[in-house]
């Protein structure tokens, strides 16, 4: 995945670079009218992939909790015995995912949600509630895609993948 990331951020000469971004958008049915910049201004597919959207492209209703990303919920549930159960009974330790030995105590009987962002999705995640961020922890790791094949075949995928833990 790191090599794919490097390739995706490689700047091709203007005509070819613009064409690859247009082709990527067409293949994945990305709405080019929502992008903050004109799609021809992006330097690479990687730059386009993490694009910002125009204001009000995702209007927020007056609910107290909103869906934080263009994504599908792949799993949700209650944290029990320090574990989050993912696809087909795969268990992940809250302590390992959060890189916090006290996570078991803090989050027991709390809720977890696992989101899957596919290439079509806008790849920025926003706060689901009005909140004050208290702590951000960067957890370095692998860059496996989090698709159905990977979640079933890469042992401890969520524990080994790069992630950010945000406490509010």
């Amino acid at each position: 995945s790191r090599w794919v990331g490097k390739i995706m951020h490689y700047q091709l000469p203007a005509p070819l670079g613009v064409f690859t971004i247009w082709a990527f958008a067409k293949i994945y049915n990305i709405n080019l009218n929502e992008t903050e910049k004109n799609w021809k201004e992006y330097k690479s597919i990687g730059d386009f992939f993490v694009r910002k959207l125009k204001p009000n492209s995702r209007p927020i209703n007056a609910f107290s909790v909103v869906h934080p990303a263009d994504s599908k919920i792949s799993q949700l549930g209650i944290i029990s015995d320090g574990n989050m159960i993912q696809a087909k009974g795969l268990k992940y330790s809250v302590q390992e995912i959060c890189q916090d030995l006290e996570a078991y105590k803090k989050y027991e009987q709390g809720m977890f949600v696992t989101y899957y962002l596919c290439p079509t999705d806008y790849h920025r995640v926003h706060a689901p509630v009005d909140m004050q961020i208290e702590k951000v922890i960067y957890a370095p790791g692998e860059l496996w895609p989090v698709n159905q094949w990977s979640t079933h075949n890469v042992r401890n995928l969520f524990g080994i993948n790069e992630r950010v833990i945000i406490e509010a």
Side-chain angles (χ1 to χ4, degrees), residues 16-81:
L16 185 56
V18 169
F19 173 75
T20 59
I21 290 167
W22 174 84
F24 181 83
K26 287 293 174 195
I27 289 167
Y28 289 106
N29 198 28
I30 296 170
N31 183 348
L32 296 174
N33 294 319
E34 293 181 331
T35 59
E36 180 183 59
K37 302 188 292 190
N38 182 299
W39 63 275
K40 294 176 184 175
E41 295 177 50
Y42 292 95
K43 296 177 176 134
S44 65
I45 291 176
D47 185 32
F48 177 73
F49 199 68
V50 295
R51 67 198 172 277
K52 289 184 179 180
L53 299 180
K54 289 178 184 171
N56 299 317
S57 291
R58 299 290 183 278
I60 299 174
N61 289 325
F63 298 108
S64 58
V65 178
V66 298
H67 198 63
D70 285 356
S71 58
K72 292 180 180 156
I73 295 174
S74 62
Q75 289 292 326
L76 62 93
I78 302 296
I79 297 167
S80 179
D81 295 325

Side-chain angles (χ1 to χ4, degrees), residues 5-165:
K6 287 181 187 294
I7 292 167
M8 298 300 276
H9 285 280
Y10 184 77
Q11 285 185 246
L12 295 169
L16 185 56
V18 169
F19 173 75
T20 59
I21 290 167
W22 174 84
F24 181 83
K26 287 293 174 195
I27 289 167
Y28 289 106
N29 198 28
I30 296 170
N31 183 348
L32 296 174
N33 294 319
E34 293 181 331
T35 59
E36 180 183 59
K37 302 188 292 190
N38 182 299
W39 63 275
K40 294 176 184 175
E41 295 177 50
Y42 292 95
K43 296 177 176 134
S44 65
I45 291 176
D47 185 32
F48 177 73
F49 199 68
V50 295
R51 67 198 172 277
K52 289 184 179 180
L53 299 180
K54 289 178 184 171
N56 299 317
S57 291
R58 299 290 183 278
I60 299 174
N61 289 325
F63 298 108
S64 58
V65 178
V66 298
H67 198 63
D70 285 356
S71 58
K72 292 180 180 156
I73 295 174
S74 62
Q75 289 292 326
L76 62 93
I78 302 296
I79 297 167
S80 179
D81 295 325
N83 293 304
M84 300 179 290
I85 297 178
Q86 296 293 323
K88 297 196 177 188
L90 298 174
K91 290 183 181 179
Y92 285 88
S93 158
V94 176
Q95 291 173 309
E96 181 181 20
I97 295 293
C98 294
Q99 295 196 340
D100 179 352
L101 296 176
E102 298 298 313
Y104 178 88
K105 295 175 191 170
K106 285 196 263 186
Y107 302 120
E108 185 65 15
Q109 295 302 304
M111 195 165 194
F112 73 90
V113 181
T114 304
Y115 295 97
Y116 170 66
L117 287 100
C118 69
T120 303
D121 294 329
Y122 161 66
H123 271 65
R124 289 177 181 251
V125 178
H126 300 271
V129 296
D130 186 12
M131 60 191 247
Q132 179 70 38
I133 294 174
E134 301 294 328
K135 186 176 179 183
V136 177
I137 302 164
Y138 168 69
E142 301 298 320
L143 296 174
W144 283 96
V146 187
N147 55 29
Q148 189 173 12
W149 183 91
S150 297
T151 57
H152 288 54
N153 292 290
V154 178
R155 188 175 175 275
N156 195 27
L157 175 68
F158 297 115
I160 63 171
N161 251 3
E162 177 182 66
R163 61 203 173 280
V164 176
I165 299 99

